[in-house]
Amino acid sequence: MGDARIAQRRAAAFAVWYLRAVAFVNFLSAVWVSLGQDVRRHNQENLFTPYLLTAGFASGVFTAFLAITMRRRKRAAWILNLALAGPFLALFVLAMSLEEVRRYAQNWVSLGLTAAFVAALLVGRREFYAKGDRSNPKLAAAVAVVGTLVCSLLAALLVTVTNQDPDAARSTFAERWHYGALRLVSVAVDESRFPGIDAPNWANVAINVLSTALVLAVFYAAFRSRRAVDPLTEDDETRLRALLDRHGERDSLGYFALRREKSAVWSPTRKAAVVYRLVGGVSLASGDPIGDPEAWPGAIEPWLAEARAHGWIPAVMGASEEAGTVYARHGLDALELGDEAIVEVSEFTLEGRAMRTVRQAFNRVRRAGYTVRVRRHGDIPEDEMAYLIERADDWRDGATERGFSMALGRLGDPRDGRCVMLECADPQGELRALLSFVPWGPKGLSLDLMRRDRDSDNGLMEFMVIELLRHAGDIGVTQLSLNFAMFRSVFERGSRLGAGPVLRLWRSLLSFFSRWWQIESLYRANAKYRPVWEPRFLLFEKSADLPRIALASARAEGFLEAPGLPKWLHRKHLETHG
């Protein structure tokens, strides 16, 4: 990296840390009364404070927001800061021409800090490259106009309800609206101009807080990242399927790249692609890149470049160790998420003492008269598939569809004819459970969907998996990928003799959360098949981004719903990975 590049990065970092420091002092001044009074006195006399230091909570929130957007390298935030700080610096220079201003040392400090901030903006200008959505200016203007109207009406209503003036009838609603609107845009209002209006102090503060919220909403609309990308096209899907035909056996999660709300970034040779979804400003890829491993870097580089160009956070969910190593060469760090359970058909057996519990459960369900039918999706008639989709939807656990990194998100698509469906019927021939697997190369299957009637007997899922393993050779299958067990090693090592206190505490904490998220139960459910455990990793760029990545992953997997949308808008035929 050249000296100029280093200087640009340092200048950009200084600009961000300046805003953070000013935000901290503003917040401190809001709670430390004497400090806040000193800062305000400086601004009211011949002294002045550095750029954006005004000793108020609202200004602290505003400055912190600018610091966050600048850290994300938003070009719009850089433009706004330069447009504000440039004239601010010019006024400082003009004021310093006066003798009574020049003689105060504090003013020279303020001038120096503001000049350093402006210089940092200019030197580091190339570091603020993240583009916003093209619709941002129009959206920000709409939020400003509509928000100002709504907030001013709310302010007028608040003033009307809380007016303490004994002769309140002298004021009209238009005057109270005028008073509230002035309060929105200024800290103080000359109350002598508004006879008949005497709002309590807490109401005035509430209006100022409303004003701060409006300003933040406008700036959020102006600075937000691009909200969506183009989903997979017909050509993208055709090319991905061709790559899966040639290289699909490398990754058991490869087929899930065909979820159609995902997008693809291709290598120049079109021999590899990174498939991702944009969720809450996070460019969330899943599994390994699709295609030839030698071409993976050619797809990873443009994916990272696209994320940085738009200010998105790049992350990968569920990458294998091989792919994680390649991603790490491109600057991403790795965190082990858990392990994928893989069962080799040729090595699976129900014999032996270790399989006694599984064997007994299997025999119990078989003696009860349950039967399993195994078919490729392409062999299921259309009317029967419609019935299976209906039953799967009825048996779904809750209104929210779950699955992203290990779920296909659909059933019955004609292009998914190689998927395998297992149907379990009771002794009366009534359908009681379903399993669906997607192809994993030419001879493997990866679990996509698990659904059962809640009134059916326990053990149906285990019975179906074992039946598939026993008859896998009939459909040319040699290996199965089952559920993903998060933090498997913690449960396994934490229960051993001699486990340390930190590991035992971590295991206890995960066991507690398993009451809601089935973390431990998934591990136990898979361990009974004595699988080979393959580690899967989360790849990320900065540790500070992990909370946002976790939130985006939870939204993508369906554990969190987008706020403000009724549940029926989320009810699509998206099936889970168990």
Side-chain angles (χ1 to χ4, degrees), residues 332-355:
L332 299 187
D333 203 353
L335 177 67
E336 186 173 345
L337 280 178
D339 298 85
E340 176 188 11
I342 296 176
V343 180
E344 296 291 340
V345 174
S346 60
E347 298 178 6
F348 178 79
T349 178
L350 282 174
E351 303 301 323
R353 184 174 182 179
M355 300 298 291

Side-chain angles (χ1 to χ4, degrees), residues 347-366:
E347 298 178 6
F348 178 79
T349 178
L350 282 174
E351 303 301 323
R353 184 174 182 179
M355 300 298 291
R356 179 183 177 185
T357 302
V358 178
R359 185 170 62 250
Q360 289 176 342
F362 172 77
N363 290 331
R364 175 178 54 80
V365 175
R366 184 171 61 177

Side-chain angles (χ1 to χ4, degrees), residues 352-418:
R353 184 174 182 179
M355 300 298 291
R356 179 183 177 185
T357 302
V358 178
R359 185 170 62 250
Q360 289 176 342
F362 172 77
N363 290 331
R364 175 178 54 80
V365 175
R366 184 171 61 177
R367 285 195 300 269
Y370 285 89
T371 57
V372 174
R373 178 162 60 169
V374 181
R375 291 186 288 179
R376 295 279 182 182
H377 285 203
D379 298 330
I380 302 176
E382 186 175 340
D383 58 336
E384 291 187 34
M385 179 60 78
Y387 173 72
L388 297 179
I389 293 173
E390 181 183 357
R391 300 304 290 154
D393 191 58
D394 291 339
W395 295 335
R396 185 177 57 223
D397 185 13
T400 303
E401 295 288 0
R402 294 180 180 176
F404 164 71
S405 57
M406 300 179 184
L408 184 59
R410 60 180 182 263
L411 278 179
D413 190 288
R415 302 192 71 175
D416 299 325
R418 291 186 59 238

Side-chain angles (χ1 to χ4, degrees), residues 7-23 51-52 63-74 77-79 81-82 85 113-128:
Q8 290 171 4
R9 289 197 169 183
R10 288 178 176 174
F14 174 83
V16 173
W17 277 105
Y18 173 88
L19 291 173
R20 288 172 174 171
V22 170
Y51 171 65
L52 289 183
T63 311
F65 183 86
L66 286 180
I68 292 171
T69 53
M70 290 282 282
R71 178 188 171 275
R72 294 177 185 170
R73 298 295 188 256
K74 298 295 182 70
W78 179 86
I79 293 172
N81 271 292
L82 189 62
L113 287 174
T114 303
F117 178 72
V118 173
L121 290 177
L122 294 174
V123 173
R125 63 189 182 278
R126 294 185 183 277
E127 291 297 306
F128 300 97

Side-chain angles (χ1 to χ4, degrees), residues 455-518:
D455 296 329
S456 62
D457 294 340
N458 292 327
L460 291 192
M461 293 302 173
E462 292 83 353
F463 176 69
M464 296 171 74
V465 171
I466 294 172
E467 281 287 273
L468 176 60
L469 288 168
R470 294 176 65 212
H471 301 285
D474 298 341
I475 54 175
V477 172
T478 60
Q479 55 187 354
L480 293 183
S481 169
L482 300 177
N483 278 308
F484 172 74
M486 289 190 67
F487 308 115
R488 177 200 65 89
S489 59
V490 175
F491 292 112
E492 186 173 279
R493 290 186 287 113
S495 61
R496 292 177 181 172
L497 182 66
V502 174
L503 187 58
R504 289 200 303 268
L505 177 62
W506 183 220
R507 182 180 182 275
S508 299
L509 186 63
L510 290 176
S511 297
F512 173 76
F513 284 110
S514 292
R515 299 177 183 180
W516 296 278
W517 291 316
Q518 298 182 337

Side-chain angles (χ1 to χ4, degrees), residues 25 99 138 140 159 166 191 193 251 277 280-281 316 327 404 417 427 496 519 535 547 578:
V25 176
E99 177 63 30
K138 292 181 180 179
V159 171
E191 297 185 359
R193 295 174 49 197
D251 184 16
R277 178 182 168 192
V316 184
Y327 277 113
F404 164 71
R496 292 177 181 172
I519 302 174

